[in-house]
Amino acid sequence: MKKFIISAVAVAMACFAFVSCSKKAKSNETAAASVKVAMVTDSGDINDQSFNQTTYAASKAFCEENNLAFNYYKPAGDSTADRIASINAAIQDDYNVVVLPGFLFAEAIVETAELNSDVKFIGLDVSEFDIMSAAEAKGKKDWKIPQNVFCAVYEEQISGYMAGYAAVKEGFRHLGFLGGMAVPAVIKFGFGYVQGINAAAEEMGIAKDVTVEYVYGGQFYGDPQIKASMDGWYKNRGVEVVFACGGGIWNSAADAAKDIGAKVIGVDVDQTAQINKYADGMCVTSATKGLGATVKAVLGAILSDNWSTYAGKVESLGLVSATEIEKNYVQLPTETWTMKNFTVENYKSLVADIYNKKLSISSDIANVPAHTVTLNIYPNIK
């Protein structure tokens, strides 16, 4: 009798487990069937080797792995109206999750999110400043971010710091920073870069021998005038490496660097391949943001019905591990590492020191960082 009872219980438990697993599987299938993901490009295309391409690849890969419908939309032009039109087209095609890479989408989010409460909006590199400025420009002074919106920003000052620190440790003594427009993300990259340069120089006792040239181009693309400025830096002032930060403005730095065998530091994504097309070995490193990791995390939360973790928030993403460096949202890429004097092991130690608060990096964008190296700041090129 006891054996029969035990067997009956075992059968009941097995049936319960089977039913539970079946329900879970069915729930996942239902979730997959109901989630449709669209990505809208900003002012570029999915082959821009930057924000759009990284976001597209991450969104597409996640959707393929999880059997989700996916498509991307390219606006007809570079305007908020064009971006809104593409968002609306995606929604009309029944896509209920829209991934939007770049601060240019701030105004479009303000315009469309409240009107489409059943659609989830994921803004990458869209800050609270971007969103609230766009809302105020529309006369919405007390506007609050809707619950169907999540925006991620990144602690650019950390990866900027890493790039500057690494460059000095590698042996560069005359460095430059070419920003696009003086928006918060670009300023954080630049000020972090200065802090890293200064910290490494002071550690090495060479602050008096290190110089930084610093300027904003006033736009997010290169042109002959910006190249001419970089020519002046490289050829006349002896600048060895420029951190080019802001859309396609890096092209002007690379175009100038190739003429004399100088170097460039990339930004946002690992730009080694595209920078090295100008000259082999031109790219020193890149100060990156974890766009792909963000896409994977947020889409995963939606699929597992955990959107509430992100709903109505703007989160600043930075370091999440002292040892598993590939999980961090800001980093230097190690797969394409070429530096000799500053090694990957040195980099790992730097990450651990930053994560464990042994090093302090300011995110202040209102005040130039304290420094003992020579820092020359110039008016915008344009």
Side-chain angles (χ1 to χ4, degrees):
M1 178 64 72
K2 286 182 180 178
K3 287 183 179 179
F4 175 77
I5 292 172
I6 291 171
S7 297
V9 170
V11 170
M13 290 178 68
C15 289
F16 176 76
F18 176 76
V19 170
S20 296
C21 290
S22 297
K23 283 183 177 179
K24 185 176 181 181
K26 190 171 290 185
S27 174
N28 288 341
E29 288 175 8
T30 302
S34 64
V35 175
K36 298 182 66 177
V37 181
M39 176 228 166
V40 180
T41 61
D42 60 358
S43 58
D45 205 346
I46 59 169
N47 59 359
D48 67 355
Q49 298 182 310
S50 188
F51 260 55
N52 290 304
Q53 184 168 342
T54 302
T55 305
Y56 170 80
S59 301
K60 185 173 183 287
F62 183 91
C63 291
E64 287 177 349
E65 290 168 8
N66 292 279
N67 297 314
L68 305 180
F70 173 74
N71 199 2
Y72 86 96
Y73 294 76
K74 179 182 177 182
D78 183 14
S79 71
T80 293
D82 290 317
R83 285 183 274 276
I84 289 173
S86 287
I87 292 171
N88 287 335
I91 294 170
Q92 287 163 10
D93 290 339
D94 294 327
Y95 288 91
N96 53 15
V97 178
V98 183
V99 184
L100 308 170
F103 76 97
L104 291 174
F105 281 103
E107 189 174 351
I109 291 171
V110 172
E111 288 284 318
T112 58
E114 288 181 312
L115 300 175
N116 299 279
S117 58
D118 56 338
V119 176
K120 294 178 175 64
F121 292 77
I122 303 171
L124 301 177
D125 216 33
V126 182
S127 70
E128 186 169 2
F129 172 83
D130 298 327
I131 286 280
M132 299 315 295
S133 295
E136 285 191 20
K138 294 293 180 182
K140 302 179 180 182
K141 292 186 178 180
D142 299 318
W143 191 79
K144 295 187 182 302
I145 298 173
Q147 291 298 296
N148 60 325
V149 173
F150 169 71
C151 293
V153 292
Y154 300 88
E155 296 182 7
E156 294 94 350
Q157 71 276 8
I158 295 178
S159 53
Y161 182 104
M162 292 171 173
Y165 186 95
V168 172
K169 290 288 186 175
E170 182 63 10
F172 296 104
R173 300 293 177 264
H174 200 161
L175 307 94
F177 176 79
L178 170 64
M181 297 177 70
V183 297
V186 175
I187 299 172
K188 284 197 291 180
F189 268 130
F191 284 5
Y193 182 62
V194 171
Q195 291 176 72
I197 289 169
N198 197 73
E202 288 187 346
E203 280 182 20
M204 298 169 72
I206 58 169
K208 63 181 176 57
D209 301 319
V210 175
T211 299
V212 185
E213 315 290 353
Y214 193 108
V215 74
Y216 298 106
Q219 61 190 36
F220 285 118
Y221 54 91
D223 66 14
Q225 186 177 344
I226 292 174
K227 179 186 180 295
S229 293
M230 294 300 99
D231 281 333
W233 278 13
Y234 285 124
K235 294 177 181 178
N236 302 329
R237 297 185 187 175
V239 171
E240 302 164 283
V241 59
V242 170
F243 179 20
C245 174
I249 203 167
W250 66 271
N251 287 283
S252 288
D255 202 20
K258 70 178 174 57
D259 295 337
I260 62 167
K263 305 290 185 180
V264 173
I265 293 171
V267 75
D268 291 334
V269 299
D270 185 357
Q271 291 191 301
T272 300
Q274 55 263 49
I275 290 173
N276 284 351
K277 285 181 180 178
Y278 283 83
D280 187 45
M282 179 184 289
C283 185
V284 175
T285 187
S286 299
T288 70
K289 302 177 183 180
L291 301 172
T294 309
V295 168
K296 182 177 180 180
V298 182
L299 291 182
I302 292 171
L303 202 58
S304 59
D305 200 26
N306 287 315
W307 171 253
S308 59
T309 305
Y310 298 99
K313 296 179 181 177
V314 177
E315 288 191 357
S316 182
L317 306 176
L319 299 183
V320 295
S321 175
T323 55
E324 297 178 274
I325 59 174
E326 70 282 353
K327 292 185 177 180
N328 290 322
Y329 288 99
V330 287
Q331 53 182 281
L332 304 182
T334 57
E335 291 183 1
T336 53
W337 198 274
T338 58
M339 287 181 280
K340 302 289 193 299
N341 299 325
F342 188 71
T343 66
V344 172
E345 289 305 312
N346 296 146
Y347 167 59
K348 289 179 178 178
S349 296
L350 176 64
V351 172
D353 285 346
I354 296 172
Y355 181 83
N356 293 319
K357 310 297 185 186
K358 291 182 180 179
L359 293 173
S360 177
I361 304 174
S362 173
S363 61
D364 180 10
I365 61 173
N367 301 289
V368 175
H371 56 278
T372 53
V373 299
T374 299
L375 175 61
N376 300 317
I377 300 177
Y378 303 97
N380 287 8
I381 297 173
K382 303 185 79 171

